[in-house]
Amino acid sequence: MKYRFHTCDVFTDRMFGGNQLAVFPEAEGLSTDQMQQLTREFNFSECTFVLPPEKGGSRRVRIFTPEREVPFAGHPNVGTAFVLLTEGYAESDESKPLFFEEPAGMVPVSFRKNGGSYICELEAPEAFSTGIRLDPAQVAPSVGLSPDDIKTSVHMPEQASVGFPFLMTELVSVDALRRAEPDLSAMKQLKAVDEHLNIHLYVRSSDEYDLRTRMFAPLDGIFEDPATGSANCALAAYLASLEPDDSCSLDLRIGQGIEMGRPSLLQARALKEQGRVVSAHIGGNCVMVTSGTVDLQE
């Protein structure tokens, strides 16, 4: 049976930037094993498989990395919405957001037309939460740095999540960010802490970005990710939680993928009210790249 797919670059306004995504918009009939095999075949950070809704949403969406299925991710939701709208699988009425059913919860994706394209933005499906906290001496070897490269005056490396957890680690300089490189052997030493530890590095920036970030997840088959929507969405929520004011809003321009030659721009925002983060969003541009079919023999 033949299955249609489309690929796009997410969080960029030009081809060959941002994060690659393959979308199967009509995935009925595919087994979980086939979805995993197709994801490994494309070898992108993630692939998505779109199915009819079961809980009143617009679609049910399953997201796979090369190693496993995940409950939620950022660029796959933004890119899937973009593909469905661009290729005519979904109604392009800006007053009607798309709602994707996923294990982490219902993911609303709003959109607006931008010339002949769309800018899409998701709202995180889960309430902001924090998790494990590590010492810089534990984290630094996993990213090829020394403990002195990790800034701890605001926070220690700490997991934060709005649907998928990442270890938020602030660095002291852009130079440290450039020098970072995942060390799989050292990363495996942290499996006892978290079997799928994803490390999100960031540094405050004074150029065209507010933040520069890099995300390493080799334990999930992703050596480095060029644009991680779920991580940067959680980062915006985390930084809002650390603000001294009980109520505040953050709007951040985040650059990622620059060191990989796939520059990305992610627009993140978070809102804190009465001491609690109440919402987090991530969005940006996308570009269509290819379309085709996969013929899976019976």
Side-chain angles (χ1 to χ4, degrees), residues 1 3 26-32 34-35 51-52 296 298:
M1 185 170 177
Y3 290 89
E26 297 171 321
E28 283 184 279
L30 287 172
S31 69
T32 296
Q34 288 173 320
M35 292 179 187
L51 300 159
L296 296 179
E298 295 288 337

Side-chain angles (χ1 to χ4, degrees), residues 72 104 122-129 160-166 168 229-238 277 279-281:
F72 164 72
L122 69 81
E123 181 176 355
E126 287 187 0
F128 167 71
S129 63
S161 175
V162 288
F164 195 88
F166 295 86
M168 301 302 173
S230 51
N232 286 301
C233 191
L235 178 58
Y238 186 57
V277 177
S279 66
H281 298 75

Side-chain angles (χ1 to χ4, degrees), residues 1-4 26 293-297:
M1 185 170 177
K2 292 185 178 181
Y3 290 89
R4 188 81 173 161
E26 297 171 321
T293 57
V294 174
D295 190 358
L296 296 179
Q297 301 297 323

